[in-house]
Amino acid sequence: MFQDESSSVTSSSSPLQVFSMMSLSPNLGSPYPWLRELKSEERGLYLIHLLLTCANHVANGSLENANIALEQISQLASPDGDTMQRMAAYFTEALADRILKAWPGLHKALNSTRITLLSEEILVRKLFFELFPFLKVAFVLTNQAIIEAMEGEKMVHIIDLNAAEPAQWVALIQALSARPEGPPHLRITGIHQQKEVLDQMAHRLIEEAEKLDIPFQFNPVVCKLENLDVDKLRVKTGEALAISSVLQLHSFLTSDDELLRKKSPLGSKNLNGIHLQRTLQMNQSTLGELLEKDMVNGYSPSPDSASSSPLSSTGSVKVDSFLNALWGLLPKLMVVTEQDSNHNGSTLMERLLESLHSYAALFDCSESTVSRTSLERLKVEKMLFGEEIKNIIACEGAERKERHEKLEKWIQRLDLAGFGNVPLSYYGMLHARRLLQGYNCDGYKMKEENGCIVICWQDRPLFSVSAWRCR
């Protein structure tokens, strides 16, 4: 794939010229001295080059060459460096983890004392909510859709499929208390696998409802969403029902890998012959610009790429069953927020290329809006972005939960399940845009697609919000 390193490399050669002459061969020792002196954009180019090369070696089973690439990346990547250095650190960790999974005993031994506290996961998601506007915008749009759908209703029941953030429902309670016709009797059913989270949610919401004199009831359901018995949600006759799903539905796409392997063996679709020379011709200033170009021999993953998830066209048994069960509750409204990315491809290279694009945007968000020395930023990047990247890159089968897909796929699925799209209101979008403007950062944008909202960093879609009703 690369030229043999027969020609000598001089210290006067420019980095971009050197890249095209370099070979990741076993006789290549420690990185050339100039690697540490690269300018940010040149280092970013070289890190992309190495990540793609390393992933190709991993996909081909060429572990010796993959190890050499990982060693070089580790000389340049850093979790507290610039945007590309930080992102490369987590993609490197993910590729290394994927290699280690080939030796289950070794992988288990190295991770045997690792402690993953659910409380830490909840904390880091709260930090993400506070540092970035994406979920705040989703909550504003969701609440406005609920308020408009429930106009005139006297009994309102809301089911929160991941009841971890009380701020959304505190704002809704406040809005409902100001209704001209008076507040409804409000009941919220919160689903979460940790009782402590639901107890905190209940305390905060009951306190707010009592302060505003709204009749209110909180119904906690302690379980994982995948184990939820929909019949136990206690939906009563005469209630107007709304369902809120925030970043939950993609996890139901884990059940189809065996079917996929029978239809199309992984090896047949591997992008093993990818040439990387075009990467070396670019000299852009930001990571988003680096990745937006057709950098890999003309392969630029389209946001609407049908190949990202071969099973999407035929549906997913697990998610279809869950959506059908929700439809059976006859909600007056369901609002769905999902990551708007193609991270459910069948091959490692597909997922790597797509996730480089979307996580480049997220790490650019961090760089533009949060200080590099921020401990909160480091926690979000390591414990949220880093763990998602590791799951997308290193895991397969039921272990791979982060199967993010594009809005178009969710529209197809919800339509097939019997839901009809409800356009989000102008007032909700106006409120959300004002919220984004409050961040004093030009990078955050919103655009409308078929009555739904896509929240972007620059022009890269990252999250979608859509509203639905039973047909």
Side-chain angles (χ1 to χ4, degrees):
M1 182 167 59
F2 293 95
Q3 300 178 43
D4 218 20
E5 195 180 6
S6 54
S7 58
S8 62
V9 178
T10 67
S11 59
S12 62
S13 302
S14 77
L16 295 182
Q17 289 173 330
V18 173
F19 295 164
S20 63
M21 295 186 286
M22 286 184 63
S23 164
L24 293 176
S25 57
N27 63 6
L28 184 62
S30 59
Y32 294 103
W34 53 259
L35 284 183
R36 294 181 179 277
E37 300 172 7
L38 290 178
K39 295 177 182 177
S40 178
E41 63 267 23
E42 292 172 338
R43 183 174 56 228
L45 278 169
Y46 192 43
L47 280 168
I48 293 170
H49 165 86
L50 286 173
L51 283 170
L52 293 168
T53 302
C54 180
N56 247 336
H57 289 318
V58 173
N60 285 325
S62 179
L63 300 187
E64 187 175 3
N65 284 333
N67 179 62
I68 294 166
L70 287 172
E71 187 177 1
Q72 284 208 308
I73 297 169
S74 66
Q75 297 287 333
L76 299 175
S78 169
D80 58 3
D82 63 25
T83 301
M84 188 61 213
Q85 286 180 302
R86 296 168 92 108
M87 189 175 80
Y90 297 111
F91 274 92
T92 306
E93 186 178 3
L95 286 166
D97 197 62
R98 185 179 178 95
I99 293 171
L100 282 176
K101 284 179 183 289
W103 291 276
L106 180 62
H107 187 265
K108 287 176 183 175
L110 287 173
N111 290 277
S112 61
T113 58
R114 183 181 177 188
I115 299 173
T116 303
L117 298 176
L118 194 59
S119 57
E120 286 186 350
E121 292 180 13
I122 293 163
L123 172 64
V124 79
R125 290 190 181 277
K126 282 185 176 293
L127 288 175
F128 177 71
F129 171 75
E130 291 166 5
L131 293 176
F132 302 92
F134 303 110
L135 293 183
K136 292 187 181 77
V137 168
F139 291 167
V140 164
L141 292 169
T142 299
N143 283 2
Q144 187 58 33
I146 291 173
I147 289 166
E148 292 175 9
M150 299 302 168
E151 190 174 344
E153 295 288 352
K154 295 181 179 179
M155 295 182 68
V156 174
H157 182 186
I158 296 169
I159 296 173
D160 185 350
L161 298 183
N162 183 40
E165 182 48 69
Q168 177 181 10
W169 305 126
V170 168
L172 182 70
I173 288 170
Q174 292 169 350
L176 290 174
S177 72
R179 282 202 323 184
E181 69 268 37
H185 183 286
L186 178 63
R187 188 155 71 100
I188 294 179
T189 295
I191 301 160
H192 200 278
Q193 58 182 311
Q194 194 171 35
K195 182 178 183 295
E196 180 188 353
V197 172
L198 293 173
D199 289 344
Q200 291 173 358
M201 171 85 80
H203 175 75
R204 181 72 183 89
L205 298 187
I206 289 169
E207 180 183 61
E208 191 67 25
E210 287 178 349
K211 186 170 71 176
L212 296 171
D213 196 25
I214 290 182
F216 177 74
Q217 180 184 356
F218 186 80
N219 178 35
V221 177
V222 183
C223 77
K224 288 185 177 181
L225 191 60
E226 62 195 50
N227 300 327
L228 176 67
D229 182 353
V230 173
D231 294 333
K232 293 184 179 178
L233 292 175
R234 294 163 44 192
V235 177
K236 298 176 183 176
T237 304
E239 289 181 328
L241 177 66
I243 299 172
S244 172
S245 174
V246 179
L247 312 183
Q248 296 303 302
L249 294 184
H250 66 265
S251 63
F252 283 91
L253 298 171
T254 59
S255 61
D256 302 310
D257 273 12
E258 287 305 315
L259 177 59
L260 177 59
R261 288 192 187 98
K262 290 174 184 175
K263 287 186 175 184
S264 174
L266 284 180
S268 67
K269 289 194 69 180
N270 246 333
L271 305 177
N272 294 332
I274 291 180
H275 296 286
L276 306 174
Q277 299 306 319
R278 280 202 182 186
T279 310
L280 314 178
Q281 299 167 6
M282 301 185 318
N283 188 19
Q284 303 296 322
S285 58
T286 70
L287 183 55
E289 289 172 331
L290 292 178
L291 288 164
E292 279 301 325
K293 304 301 180 183
D294 54 345
M295 60 186 189
V296 189
N297 198 32
Y299 182 88
S300 179
S302 162
D304 305 316
S305 171
S307 67
S308 66
S309 181
L311 282 175
S312 298
S313 58
T314 57
S316 163
V317 174
K318 197 171 180 182
V319 75
D320 289 349
S321 175
F322 185 67
L323 289 175
N324 287 334
L326 295 181
W327 184 90
L329 297 174
L330 300 177
K332 192 169 186 181
L333 182 76
M334 180 164 76
V335 186
V336 175
T337 300
E338 277 293 331
Q339 292 93 337
D340 195 54
S341 303
N342 277 334
H343 296 157
N344 197 20
S346 60
T347 70
L348 169 62
M349 291 305 296
E350 282 178 283
R351 299 203 300 272
L352 181 94
L353 287 162
E354 293 289 351
S355 55
L356 277 172
H357 279 75
S358 49
Y359 284 97
L362 283 169
F363 277 83
D364 270 343
C365 286
S366 294
E367 183 73 4
S368 299
T369 57
V370 189
S371 165
R372 282 190 188 179
T373 58
S374 165
L375 183 60
E376 288 80 9
R377 171 182 171 180
L378 184 63
K379 284 183 177 179
V380 169
E381 289 178 347
K382 178 174 176 58
M383 298 168 63
L384 184 60
F385 300 164
E387 288 302 307
E388 286 180 358
I389 289 167
K390 188 182 292 184
N391 191 265
I392 291 164
I393 299 301
C395 299
E396 297 293 351
E399 192 182 6
R400 182 157 61 87
K401 304 287 188 184
E402 304 298 340
R403 295 170 176 261
H404 313 142
E405 293 196 339
K406 298 293 291 181
L407 174 61
E408 290 80 359
K409 301 285 182 67
W410 292 113
I411 288 174
Q412 292 171 14
R413 287 196 182 96
L414 287 154
D415 183 67
L416 287 170
F419 289 94
N421 183 243
V422 179
L424 291 164
S425 77
Y426 172 79
Y427 182 78
M429 288 187 272
L430 190 65
H431 191 176
R433 281 202 168 88
R434 285 175 182 162
L435 192 156
L436 283 182
Q437 289 167 359
Y439 274 75
N440 294 319
C441 182
D442 293 337
Y444 292 118
K445 297 178 182 177
M446 275 172 47
K447 61 181 179 180
E448 186 179 358
E449 288 187 9
N450 302 316
C452 310
I453 289 296
V454 178
I455 313 164
C456 309
W457 174 254
Q458 304 297 352
D459 293 322
R460 170 60 50 175
L462 292 174
F463 295 88
S464 66
V465 184
S466 57
W468 305 85
R469 60 171 166 244
C470 292
R471 282 204 306 270

